[in-house]
Amino acid sequence: MQASTKKLLLVVLGPFLLVSTAATGLYWWDHGAPPGFQPRVVDVSVQDVDYDNRGVRISGTAHYTVRLTQRAESGAAWYLFPLMEKGDTTGRYVEVIVRTRTAPDDLLGLEDVVVEGLARPPGAIVGPAVREALIEAGYELDEKVVLVEAFE
């Protein structure tokens, strides 16, 4: 190979490799596992989960009394609900919000569930509309509420 061909390959492939490596690294850091894989799942309680956790398995009581649905332009739907300590049917202090693609049963108001998912800060997913809906339903959100996005 000539020197000019090597330089051309370096100029063309270099930025591509740099960007793809950075994107893979960012995804890995955010999800706790490389693209296409799930992070290692650890058992945590509703009270102990925090932003340092990535893959979590939480058992608790899902409060479906507030039916929150988010829809994407593509038509995909996500369902959000507060998760309380197992057996807590009257609690109103929310430390964990679960986001899943599985619709809760319309006949249930409460259900004991085990959720495996990715724990993270709520960011824009739990925006003002979601917070307001929960507050209007009588819930109080923790200052550091954790969003658990359930694995499919």
Side-chain angles (χ1 to χ4, degrees), residues 18-117:
L18 181 66
V19 169
S20 62
T21 301
T24 301
L26 183 62
Y27 181 93
W28 195 328
W29 171 80
D30 184 48
H31 286 77
F37 294 93
Q38 293 179 353
R40 184 174 56 86
V41 174
V42 295
D43 290 312
V44 294
S45 70
V46 170
Q47 295 175 342
D48 294 335
V49 68
D50 61 22
Y51 302 148
D52 293 332
N53 300 119
R54 288 293 189 230
V56 295
R57 181 181 303 111
I58 301 178
S59 345
T61 300
H63 285 225
Y64 300 136
T65 53
V66 181
R67 302 271 176 190
L68 299 172
T69 306
Q70 294 177 330
R71 297 203 184 276
E73 289 181 16
S74 64
W78 291 271
Y79 305 92
L80 288 90
F81 57 86
L83 186 69
M84 306 297 187
E85 286 289 331
K86 193 165 190 170
D88 184 356
T89 59
T90 60
R92 293 292 181 241
Y93 189 72
V94 179
E95 296 178 83
V96 176
I97 296 176
V98 176
R99 183 179 192 226
T100 180
R101 288 197 182 242
T102 305
D105 189 333
D106 288 335
L107 299 176
L108 296 176
L110 301 165
E111 180 181 25
D112 286 340
V113 296
V114 176
V115 178
E116 287 188 3

Side-chain angles (χ1 to χ4, degrees), residues 8-22:
L8 180 62
L9 281 175
L10 184 61
V11 167
V12 171
L13 292 179
F16 171 75
L17 291 174
L18 181 66
V19 169
S20 62
T21 301

